[in-house]
Amino acid sequence: MANSLTSESKKLATWYFTFAAIIFGAQLLFGLVAAIQYVMPGFLFELLDFSIARMLHINALVVWMVYAMVGAAYWLIPDETGIEIVGIKLAKLGFIILTAAVTVVVLVYILIQYGDTTTEIMGLNVGIWFINEGREYIEAPRWADIGIAVVLVGFLLHVFLTAIKGTRTGIVTVLMADMIALVGLYLCGMGFTDSISMDQFWWWWVIHLWVEATWEVFVGALAAYGLITMIGASRKVVEMWLWIEVAMLFGSGILGLGHHYFWIGTPEYWWEIGALFSALEPLPLVAMFVHVTYDWGKETGKGNILTNGPALLWFFTNAFGNFLGAGIWGFFHTLPQVNIYTHGTQFTAAHGHLSFFGAYATILIGVFYLAIQGTNGLKRLKTTRCTKMAWFFITFGVVGMAVSLTIAGYVQVLQERAQFGATWEAYFVAQNSVWFTQAMGWRLVMGVVTFLGFVFLVKDLLTIGKNPENEK
């Protein structure tokens, strides 16, 4: 692929995008392994157990999205500020350090898997410091935890120093504020307490506030940048919507954290707080959908040429998918009167799959296409058959998984929780239900469909830049 980039920051962004795509593929593979193990429990038993496959699946999800977001920031900042990233050599070193750390951690997860928590070396617990910290979703060993935090602080400094030196648009200002929260909230997951309730209290500051506050704001900034880039939308209008979304996201997302505090031993006032503000969380997602649709309609007929068809396709999918997955599927089970039955069932997995796809994967794939356009020096990137196949199979597959998991969760609510009272016997009755097993079988089928879409996506990303219908 010919590289037409002159910006060192954008070249660095393509490094992040490339590694993100690789980890994306790994995430889907480990997800397929876990899905197979649900219908064939003996698959890879004692070689790659379900607990390990699930951990790798979820961690790979977080890692590839963080890589793509950092890459997206490095891509848009030169356009928004008018200058190169300050300290680009250190930024490249940060990528190398982070990628080396992620690679080592993944190999340890696969090859060693479990750590010895009874042995210490120089006062450091071997299992926690070198194998697995043991905290769900943020299992990275302590040495990698510290390394990730250092790299994130470096990223924050690069963004701030560049914004201070260059032009500071509304998009850049939002990113500056968001980066502080992104880095600061990660540090909340690095403390230790021997109280499980206190540990969960702070743990959710990373898990929830990262995803439902800082990541959502980041997506809003990307949507604003993308609309200006792709359809020539008015910056004034786009940034107005962005500030509205930011206010609503922070306003609802922060106290919406309360829906994770229902059953972990925190005071009962979190029931009301969590229920109210969680109910408000879909509103900024509606605003984002209106934002994209309004700007597209407003610019239609003005002579503005759509410069990137594939990217706009994924951006529109993000606007609708964010509302559907994070908003509707989240609201299904966010009230405590409902959550008492759905908590810990496949309802949660259905929401997780559809929301991460709709809210983040879609727009980050769209940014990949923006990078393909810029890397090849194209004035206009056109949609191909492969683009449509990738979009259809990935979208259909993920929605199919969400529906399948929702059916499985419904069985658990009826049998495991309502009928048999949430006992161990009730758990196994629900697991052996015909509806549950069929739903998990369909989840596997839809997982294969999603992976097929990923194959089309990779092929398209590698070849679409050479499409002769593109305009130079």
Side-chain angles (χ1 to χ4, degrees):
M1 180 185 296
N3 193 322
S4 301
L5 295 179
T6 57
S7 166
E8 291 298 318
S9 176
K10 291 195 173 188
K11 288 179 183 178
L12 175 58
T14 62
W15 297 4
Y16 275 98
F17 293 148
T18 302
F19 195 73
I22 293 170
I23 300 298
F24 184 14
Q27 178 222 339
L28 297 180
L29 281 175
F30 288 120
L32 283 176
V33 170
I36 292 170
Q37 289 169 334
Y38 247 105
V39 297
M40 297 172 56
F43 182 67
L44 297 181
F45 180 62
E46 294 187 337
L47 181 62
L48 189 69
D49 291 345
F50 175 80
S51 59
I52 303 299
R54 176 183 178 272
M55 177 181 70
L56 287 163
H57 174 59
I58 295 173
N59 277 257
L61 166 74
V62 174
V63 169
W64 89 255
M65 289 187 174
V66 169
Y67 263 80
M69 287 181 189
V70 173
Y74 282 136
W75 183 270
L76 71 85
I77 283 175
D79 292 337
E80 291 293 308
T81 63
I83 62 172
E84 278 287 350
I85 284 287
V86 173
I88 187 66
K89 291 183 179 179
L90 285 176
K92 290 180 178 180
L93 179 62
F95 169 83
I96 294 169
I97 293 172
L98 182 61
T99 304
V102 168
T103 303
V104 170
V105 168
V106 170
L107 290 175
V108 169
Y109 282 170
I110 296 172
L111 301 176
I112 300 177
Q113 298 185 1
Y114 301 101
D116 181 2
T117 56
T118 62
T119 303
E120 293 188 353
I121 298 177
M122 299 177 64
L124 304 178
N125 185 292
V126 172
I128 293 174
W129 273 87
F130 302 106
I131 310 299
N132 187 322
E133 202 169 281
R135 307 180 75 195
E136 195 175 21
Y137 306 153
I138 47 175
E139 289 97 342
R142 181 47 58 102
W143 71 266
D145 219 10
I146 295 171
I148 292 169
V150 171
V151 171
L152 285 176
V153 170
F155 172 58
L156 171 66
L157 291 175
H158 292 308
V159 172
F160 260 72
L161 292 175
T162 307
I164 291 170
K165 186 177 179 181
T167 303
R168 198 179 312 163
T169 63
I171 294 173
V172 172
T173 303
V174 168
L175 281 179
M176 290 171 71
D178 196 44
M179 290 303 102
I180 295 175
L182 186 74
V183 175
L185 290 171
Y186 186 80
L187 301 179
C188 293
M190 296 179 66
F192 173 78
T193 172
D194 55 8
S195 165
I196 187 66
S197 292
M198 188 65 73
D199 180 80
Q200 288 284 290
F201 183 92
W202 290 109
W203 178 79
W204 279 115
W205 279 47
V206 183
I207 305 305
H208 171 97
L209 291 178
W210 244 36
V211 171
E212 297 184 49
T214 62
W215 283 23
E216 284 280 13
V217 170
F218 195 96
V219 163
L222 284 185
Y225 169 78
L227 288 169
I228 293 170
T229 303
M230 290 182 290
I231 63 175
S234 164
R235 178 176 292 275
K236 182 179 179 180
V237 172
V238 167
E239 291 188 348
M240 176 197 72
W241 275 107
L242 177 60
W243 283 111
I244 292 172
E245 289 163 19
V246 167
M248 295 176 72
L249 283 165
F250 275 125
S252 62
I254 292 175
L255 288 177
L257 172 70
H259 67 236
H260 298 295
Y261 288 169
F262 291 159
W263 324 117
I264 66 170
T266 48
E268 290 186 5
Y269 56 71
W270 281 109
W271 291 1
E272 288 76 20
I273 295 173
L276 172 62
F277 286 93
S278 294
L280 295 176
E281 283 189 47
L283 295 182
L285 307 182
V286 174
M288 188 171 292
F289 182 78
V290 173
H291 165 185
V292 176
T293 307
Y294 172 80
D295 283 319
W296 173 241
K298 189 172 183 291
E299 298 303 321
T300 300
K302 286 188 175 181
N304 292 332
I305 298 174
L306 171 60
T307 61
N308 195 316
L312 189 68
L313 174 65
W314 284 105
F315 271 63
F316 258 97
T317 307
N318 169 264
F320 182 73
N322 199 349
F323 173 64
L324 183 66
I328 301 301
W329 247 258
F331 186 71
F332 275 173
H333 61 147
T334 196
L335 300 178
Q337 297 90 337
V338 177
N339 192 263
I340 193 171
Y341 293 101
T342 61
H343 187 77
T345 68
Q346 295 298 335
F347 264 111
T348 306
H351 166 54
H353 279 76
L354 196 54
S355 60
F356 271 95
F357 168 73
Y360 308 115
T362 48
I363 199 165
L364 294 174
I365 293 172
V367 174
F368 289 172
Y369 279 104
L370 290 179
I372 292 294
Q373 180 185 12
T375 300
N376 288 275
L378 300 173
K379 181 180 178 181
R380 189 177 183 188
L381 184 69
K382 293 191 175 182
T383 303
T384 65
R385 181 175 179 273
C386 206
T387 306
K388 297 173 184 176
M389 295 291 283
W391 177 86
F392 173 78
F393 281 115
I394 292 176
T395 304
F396 182 73
V398 174
V399 172
M401 281 193 287
V403 172
S404 301
L405 290 166
T406 300
I407 294 170
Y410 187 67
V411 173
Q412 288 179 291
V413 167
L414 287 179
Q415 292 191 327
E416 178 184 330
R417 302 293 169 83
Q419 185 176 359
F420 292 101
T423 62
W424 269 112
E425 180 186 7
Y427 172 79
F428 288 109
V429 168
Q431 294 288 308
N432 290 314
S433 165
V434 173
W435 282 75
F436 183 88
T437 54
Q438 286 183 351
M440 298 311 285
W442 277 107
R443 191 273 294 267
L444 173 58
V445 171
M446 290 299 152
V448 173
V449 171
T450 303
F451 190 79
L452 177 62
F454 174 76
V455 173
F456 277 108
L457 175 65
V458 171
K459 179 183 176 184
D460 197 43
L461 290 173
L462 293 174
T463 59
I464 193 171
K466 302 172 186 176
N467 181 9
E469 294 185 8
N470 295 328
E471 294 181 16
K472 285 285 188 179

